[in-house]
Amino acid sequence: LELGWGIVSTAAVADGAVAPALARIEGARLVGVVGRDRDRTNAFAARHSIPFSTTRYDQLLALPGLDAVYIASPNALHRQHVEAAAAAGKHVLCEKPLATTVADAEAAVAACRDAGVKLGQMFQTRHHPVYGELAAVIGRGELGDLLLVECQVSPGNHELSGWRTDPSLAGHGTIFNLGVHAYDLVRWLVGSEVVDVTALLDVGREAQLERLALALLRFANGTLAYVNANQVMERRRPDLTVYGSDGRIDGHGITRQYSADGEARIVTAAGERVVPAPAVDLFERAVAAFQRAVLAGEEPPANGEDGLRSVAIATAVARSAREGRVVELARVASEP
Ligand SMILES: NC(=O)c1ccc[n+]([C@@H]2O[C@H](COP(=O)([O-])OP(=O)(O)OC[C@H]3O[C@@H](n4cnc5c(N)ncnc54)[C@H](OP(=O)(O)O)[C@@H]3O)[C@@H](O)[C@H]2O)c1
């Protein structure tokens, strides 16, 4: 079984991570790429041995043998790129955030549902094997009731650049660059939905693009979470701690871990054990998992609904910080 893939935009993440991953994944055939600039797109195609290169998205979508697209355009373009792919009957793996507003994310989910195509969201972190083990530990009740999750996600000190400095293309700053990854990860681990959000941003209540976002989340099952998403900390701690009534997980270097080795220490009355978290290619694992799901006719492990939920949490984080209040997630979609 094979899947024919097209890549939407010659983005850094497509060039450096996903196109090389697709070249390694069994059954993945890279058939085309679309970008805005002919020479740059041709060069991208040559680098990754892609047989077809175009500056017109409709031409990519009409390509024989194309089954799925990977969308890596700037955030605000995701909705229209998802909708066009769905209309052409192509499965979609979309980069995060799924869209820049809850309404756009809902439209992207609806377009794929109505067209009967799968919509996957690139949340690669949960594909690290360490999270399979941590989810199992939580699922078996080894920690008792989950009380609190603390999570920091940060690439270090990174200025915003390129389209990320344009609010009309980026939507938000670090909330969309890093935050959505952490909101999804924590929500997935807790296995419940966020009901309340309280947040502070480094930019205060100003309508500027943030680089530090602190969020407090309350889940329907009673678990609380503290999420620090930032791109300002030179000495970051990409850590995740889970406190349960009967135990704790100390995760070090596991929230954004592409090269350094991490580990998770599980601490319960039965003692301590360490789950190593060596560097693995998370993009390759995420793309392969999406492809397996599509070929099996199953729902992708991180899907459009997960993308939509994380956009809703992100939107609530921004709104809470700007308006200085607790935001109920159930009301986010209906508020202007
Ligand atoms: N999952 C992850 O961890 C992860 C990591 C990095 C990025 N991402 C996501 O992937 C997407 C791309 O990020 P990136 O850092 O790889 O992007 P990037 O390299 O900065 O640029 C993205 C691409 O978008 C197109 N583009 C740039 N400016 C544009 C504009 N003004 N109008 C229209 N198109 C424009 C360009 O492609 P063409 O010229 O070919 O059209 C460019 O190569 C984003 O949504 C980002 O959030 C996810």
Side-chain angles (χ1 to χ4, degrees):
L1 280 174
E2 286 199 332
L3 205 65
W5 282 86
I7 292 183
V8 183
S9 115
T10 62
V13 65
D15 200 23
V18 173
L22 280 166
R24 289 190 297 268
I25 292 169
E26 203 184 322
R29 261 184 307 110
L30 249 175
V31 298
V33 57
V34 60
R36 292 170 305 162
D37 178 82
R38 185 173 304 280
D39 290 344
R40 207 168 52 234
T41 311
N42 284 342
F44 184 100
R47 262 197 309 286
H48 300 288
S49 307
I50 303 173
F52 180 80
S53 161
T54 179
T55 55
R56 281 182 46 192
Y57 192 27
D58 60 334
Q59 287 186 344
L60 176 73
L61 291 174
L63 197 61
L66 184 84
D67 305 306
V69 293
Y70 163 67
I71 295 173
S73 48
N75 302 345
L77 305 180
H78 290 176
R79 173 189 172 168
Q80 68 196 60
H81 286 155
V82 171
E83 285 179 333
K90 307 303 173 188
H91 303 291
V92 180
L93 176 57
C94 186
E95 265 303 347
K96 41 58 57 176
L98 179 56
T100 50
T101 66
V102 174
D104 282 357
E106 284 173 340
V109 170
C112 291
R113 187 184 53 228
D114 294 349
V117 298
K118 303 296 184 196
L119 174 57
Q121 173 77 116
M122 181 61 93
F123 283 140
Q124 70 274 16
T125 316
R126 48 154 114 171
H127 291 277
H128 195 293
V130 75
Y131 282 107
E133 177 64 19
L134 298 186
V137 164
I138 292 169
R140 286 194 297 267
E142 285 187 43
L143 304 184
D145 295 331
L146 295 191
L147 304 175
L148 171 65
V149 182
E150 294 177 349
C151 177
Q152 178 180 149
V153 58
S154 170
N157 185 15
H158 280 228
E159 294 288 343
L160 299 167
S161 64
W163 59 267
R164 284 183 172 81
T165 62
D166 179 350
S168 70
L169 284 174
H172 294 293
T174 211
I175 291 172
F176 276 163
N177 293 336
L178 284 314
V180 285
H181 279 302
Y183 309 146
D184 174 71
L185 191 63
V186 173
R187 171 181 164 266
W188 176 74
L189 276 176
V190 171
S192 180
E193 297 301 342
V194 171
V195 290
D196 285 331
V197 176
T198 307
L200 292 176
L201 304 178
D202 57 348
V203 294
R205 299 188 184 183
E206 300 301 317
Q208 295 167 15
L209 293 171
E210 76 292 339
R211 290 204 298 143
L212 170 59
L214 305 182
L216 298 177
L217 312 177
R218 189 164 69 82
F219 286 86
N221 69 353
T223 306
L224 300 185
Y226 160 70
V227 180
N228 169 345
N230 78 79
Q231 49 195 98
V232 291
M233 290 173 184
E234 195 51 53
R235 300 269 172 261
R236 67 200 190 278
R237 293 207 313 180
D239 292 355
L240 178 134
T241 310
V242 182
Y243 297 89
S245 53
D246 300 337
R248 193 179 79 231
I249 294 169
D250 291 332
H252 295 296
I254 63 169
T255 63
R256 190 189 160 84
Q257 184 258 342
Y258 304 131
S259 53
D261 287 358
E263 65 166 39
R265 186 174 295 269
I266 298 159
V267 186
T268 64
E272 289 190 24
R273 68 181 198 275
V274 173
V275 183
V280 295
D281 188 335
L282 294 174
F283 285 100
E284 183 175 337
R285 291 179 66 91
V287 176
F290 173 82
Q291 175 169 299
R292 271 196 306 278
V294 168
L295 291 175
E298 292 167 359
E299 203 48 26
N303 64 11
E305 184 68 24
D306 296 316
L308 166 61
R309 297 272 179 178
S310 69
V311 168
I313 298 167
T315 303
V317 167
R319 193 166 292 166
S320 169
R322 299 247 155 69
E323 298 176 9
R325 64 183 176 98
V326 178
V327 171
E328 285 175 55
L329 209 69
R331 300 172 65 102
V332 164
S334 55
E335 289 180 10

